[in-house]
Amino acid sequence: MRHFVQDLAADQGARVKLRILATTDLHMNILPYDYHADRTVGGWGLSRTAQLIEAARDEAANVILLDNGDCLFGSALGEVHSAVADHQLHPMIRALNHLNYDAMNLGNHDFDQGRSALIQAIQGAGFPVLTANAVLPEEAHQARIAPFTLLQRKVKDALGDIHDLTIGVIGFLPPNSLHQARIATTDILEAARRYVPQMRAQGADVVIALAHSGLGAEAHIPDMENVLFPLSEVEGIDALIGGHTHQVFPAVGEDADSSLNGVPTVMPGFWGSHLGIIDLAIERCNGRWDVRQGSAGLRPVSDETPDDVLAKSSFEALFSDLHNRTREAMQARVGEAEGPLNNYLTLVGGDSATRLVQRAMLDHAQLCQEALGLPDLPILAASAAFKSGGFGGPDYYTALPSGALTQRSLADLYMFPNSFALVKATGAFLRNWLERSCSIFNQVLPGQKAVQLKDDGVPGYIYESVLGLTYEIDLTQSSRFTPSGALRFAEAGRIRSLQYNGRPVKEDDQFLLATTDYRVLGGGNYPIPDPSDILPVAPMDIRDLLTDYVANHGLIAIDAAPIWQFQPVPEASVWFRSSPKGQEAASEYPWLRLDVLDPCDTRGFTCYELAL
């Protein structure tokens, strides 16, 4: 464990303060605009974060600015740029250059469009691009992607004297996450233990780790996806910046510990929702610089909606043309919905929006089954509601009215450029899959009223349902997995009455499961199928097959009858947060017995109670 020396007066020599600013998971959200809803928004957008960056820079003499990955792709703005790019400077690189970023880490989603697209995207970057645990081809090295960088900076001490300081920055991304780009990875801790000593040997006075990874468990296991806790124990790391899970650390506005094992740590949310700030006190002693103290915190972007879509910032001239082209492209009509589609009540089984995605995946799986001459096995489709409130706020849900389905609608239904995958799955594998899914829910015993369904820090998008099966979830039982996906009780089970076409599913029954490349590689700590069970289908983005499905069918009618329900628990109930608009949608799911506990909490959510 790292301990900072608290009594600076006892030491002699020059003393400087270094401020580290960080963003993560921007996903091409440069402007404060929701292209799915076609409206300005508050609470996110890099042009809004830029205002926090400017203010934080003005407060300190020595500042560096870093990005922690997943910034290049993932929004409608990025898709429109990709369609017409033709070797133009990537808009996010233009934005980071404009804000004078000092270095950028790569995240897994920065590889979503393949190696060539990534290498093309980072051309023109005025800063180092990093990843230490991706095994990159020679073309990537030629593009100057490196494991780490040593930033040579002139820093000013409290007396105004100038000193040389070498700041080492290293980057990591989640292992086993680059299958689509055909790039191997290594374990994050293995890479850290390899490179951090090299950085020190080459003169790094301070080492900052950009880890595109979440908090995770304290104990390390090989190829761990969320690894901040064990990474903080690696000798030689002075500051740690996390991401990937779209969560925040430390909690904003609370007197919480802002370090992991003594290492100042931040996780700055997503889409520019927060600016991470780490302040280090560094002293020159016996010919070397030593970090003596460190503190960390977050500053949230204001939730107020800006009067001007571009927040009247210098971003206006840079991106107004792309912004207007994106709005126009999103209006293209694809099909028509017979009724409304929404996912306000996805956590309790009411979700017509995700049902459409699953229908499209199932339809594409049937085409693959025929084209490949696969066995005539039952086909299932698994998916989750990516927009499910949480840190995204009470408006962060998918809600489409009946009528025209446009490109904007379909992008709202499925946000990420995940690729279709098809897997041979047994009944035992599917049961384990569903046990992982329902592990986000808290245990509820008979007679307990208004138990919170899931903890606030657990992302709702982890929960997946499987179209083609029906089942119940018994919340009185302990969960087999922790909410983060670690195995807790191997013999525990909540899934009851698991059936296909009204018949119980046996452990050795065979199915074809339509899912995504992200899931088959263990994304979200879901069970990983045997490689021999992953079928060789042509690469296709889920959003593309969704577009094809809607275009081919024209008029879309969704049967929102429940796939699953909670098993009754005598005299018990749960409560959960959702949008206030969920009250209107509740009539579409008449089997749900809902009451409103709080019409508007401090974050703008409505709190609903469900009788079990």
Side-chain angles (χ1 to χ4, degrees):
M1 179 181 292
R2 176 188 257 346
H3 295 281
F4 290 106
V5 177
Q6 299 298 318
D7 186 9
L8 297 181
D11 293 313
Q12 300 299 316
R15 301 171 185 175
V16 300
K17 293 183 179 180
L18 176 65
R19 169 161 283 189
I20 305 160
L21 306 180
T23 53
T24 192
D25 293 273
L26 293 170
H27 286 288
M28 266 298 289
N29 286 283
I30 297 175
L31 305 175
Y33 200 84
D34 184 346
Y35 294 97
H36 304 147
D38 197 24
R39 60 180 176 83
T40 59
V41 294
W44 49 264
L46 182 58
S47 68
R48 305 290 307 283
T49 326
Q51 300 166 23
L52 300 179
I53 292 170
E54 181 180 357
R57 276 176 166 156
D58 288 343
E59 297 166 359
N62 311 304
V63 182
I64 64 169
L65 175 60
L66 309 171
D67 184 76
N68 193 31
D70 277 9
C71 72
L72 296 173
F73 306 111
S75 75
L77 198 75
E79 291 173 19
V80 170
H81 165 77
S82 297
V84 298
D86 193 25
H87 302 291
Q88 298 176 24
L89 182 63
H90 191 281
M92 183 55 82
I93 296 299
R94 182 188 296 262
L96 300 186
N97 284 346
H98 181 70
L99 293 173
N100 295 312
Y101 271 71
D102 292 280
M104 163 191 165
N105 183 31
L106 293 175
N108 53 300
H109 283 297
D110 292 320
F111 291 83
D112 277 347
Q113 297 188 14
R115 292 179 294 181
S116 297
L118 167 65
I119 291 170
Q120 176 60 40
I122 64 173
Q123 298 302 308
F127 44 81
V129 179
L130 310 173
T131 183
N133 68 315
V135 184
L136 297 175
E138 181 59 33
E139 58 182 326
H141 295 297
Q142 293 173 355
R144 296 184 298 175
I145 301 174
F148 62 84
T149 188
L150 300 178
L151 304 174
Q152 308 296 333
R153 294 292 184 266
K154 299 288 186 182
V155 293
K156 183 185 297 186
D157 66 19
L159 300 176
D161 295 329
I162 303 299
H163 307 271
D164 293 317
L165 186 71
T166 301
I167 305 168
V169 185
I170 186 169
F172 308 99
L173 50 70
N176 298 321
S177 63
L178 305 183
H179 171 76
Q180 186 174 350
R182 298 182 180 179
I183 292 176
T185 58
T186 61
D187 180 74
I188 290 178
L189 260 66
E190 175 187 329
R193 290 168 179 153
R194 173 185 177 188
Y195 287 116
V196 170
Q198 291 184 30
M199 298 167 71
R200 292 292 187 180
Q202 293 178 29
D205 299 308
V206 177
V207 171
I208 304 164
L210 291 169
H212 193 77
S213 181
L215 293 169
E218 295 187 20
H220 174 252
I221 59 174
D223 286 343
M224 195 171 177
E225 178 181 7
N226 296 307
V227 75
L228 293 189
F229 271 112
L231 182 61
S232 67
E233 296 182 322
V234 173
E235 184 67 27
I237 294 177
D238 296 304
L240 185 55
I241 297 157
H244 181 53
T245 58
H246 292 199
Q247 295 176 286
V248 295
F249 180 87
V252 177
E254 295 183 12
D255 186 18
D257 188 3
S258 61
S259 68
L260 299 178
N261 293 306
V263 178
T265 303
V266 291
M267 293 179 64
F270 64 104
W271 298 5
S273 62
H274 297 74
L275 177 66
I277 301 178
I278 297 176
D279 288 313
L280 300 180
I282 312 171
E283 182 173 353
R284 185 77 174 174
C285 186
N286 297 325
R288 55 173 288 178
W289 292 101
D290 287 318
V291 174
R292 299 297 189 180
Q293 287 180 313
S295 63
L298 298 176
R299 293 183 185 177
V301 165
S302 171
D303 285 334
E304 294 182 4
T305 302
D307 294 333
D308 186 278
V309 63
L310 305 184
K312 296 181 179 177
S313 70
S314 55
F315 282 71
E316 181 173 0
L318 290 175
F319 302 109
S320 58
D321 287 346
L322 179 59
H323 166 70
N324 292 331
R325 288 203 311 272
T326 302
R327 290 188 64 199
E328 182 178 355
M330 295 292 281
Q331 294 172 2
R333 184 187 179 104
V334 182
E336 184 174 353
E338 185 175 78
L341 302 170
N342 60 74
N343 66 358
Y344 293 127
L345 304 176
T346 184
L347 290 179
V348 291
D351 189 345
S352 54
T354 302
R355 185 73 57 87
L356 173 54
V357 175
Q358 293 169 325
R359 284 267 300 270
M361 293 173 68
L362 194 149
D363 184 76
H364 187 70
Q366 290 173 336
L367 296 177
C368 293
Q369 185 180 39
E370 295 170 5
L372 296 175
L374 297 174
D376 187 20
L377 297 175
I379 301 177
L380 313 171
S383 191
F386 290 111
K387 296 179 67 174
S388 54
F391 293 114
D395 294 326
Y396 190 56
Y397 293 88
T398 294
L400 307 177
S402 58
L405 289 172
T406 64
Q407 288 291 355
R408 176 182 300 114
S409 309
L410 302 186
D412 197 31
L413 282 164
Y414 201 92
M415 301 178 57
F416 294 110
N418 294 329
S419 289
F420 176 84
L422 191 60
V423 175
K424 287 191 292 185
T426 64
F429 181 87
L430 290 167
R431 184 179 293 275
N432 205 40
W433 185 283
L434 293 172
E435 292 289 354
R436 162 62 188 123
S437 176
C438 69
S439 67
I440 72 168
F441 299 133
N442 290 321
Q443 190 174 20
V444 184
L445 299 178
Q448 292 183 327
K449 295 288 189 180
V451 177
Q452 188 170 8
L453 180 59
K454 74 170 187 65
D455 294 339
D456 290 336
V458 177
Y461 57 74
I462 290 177
Y463 182 79
E464 283 205 347
S465 60
V466 177
L467 179 62
L469 299 175
T470 58
Y471 50 97
E472 292 184 337
I473 297 173
D474 183 359
L475 293 181
T476 67
Q477 300 300 306
S478 299
S479 61
R480 182 174 299 179
F481 300 92
T482 67
S484 62
L487 183 63
R488 179 163 55 184
F489 303 119
E491 301 304 317
R494 291 177 160 182
I495 301 301
R496 301 285 185 264
S497 303
L498 182 61
Q499 297 183 345
Y500 175 78
N501 276 349
R503 297 181 178 180
V505 173
K506 299 177 182 179
E507 296 289 274
D508 58 353
D509 284 348
Q510 298 286 323
F511 299 87
L512 295 179
L513 176 66
T515 179
T516 67
D517 58 334
Y518 176 70
R519 284 291 188 239
V520 299
L521 293 171
N525 284 331
Y526 267 73
I528 300 175
D530 188 281
S532 63
D533 289 330
I534 303 174
L535 299 170
V537 297
M540 187 173 190
D541 282 357
I542 300 296
R543 288 180 297 191
D544 290 338
L545 67 86
L546 177 60
T547 300
D548 288 349
Y549 178 83
V550 172
N552 291 335
H553 286 75
L555 180 63
I556 301 298
I558 295 297
D559 177 7
I563 294 175
W564 65 274
Q565 297 184 71
F566 291 118
Q567 193 171 72
V569 180
E571 302 299 320
S573 65
V574 293
W575 73 270
F576 63 96
R577 291 185 175 90
S578 187
S579 168
K581 296 177 182 177
Q583 298 177 64
E584 303 172 13
S587 61
E588 301 166 30
Y589 312 104
W591 64 90
L592 296 175
R593 296 184 294 161
L594 294 176
D595 289 308
V596 173
L597 288 180
D598 184 351
C600 187
D601 69 7
T602 56
R603 297 170 56 202
F605 287 94
T606 291
C607 298
Y608 299 88
E609 183 178 20
L610 173 73
L612 295 178

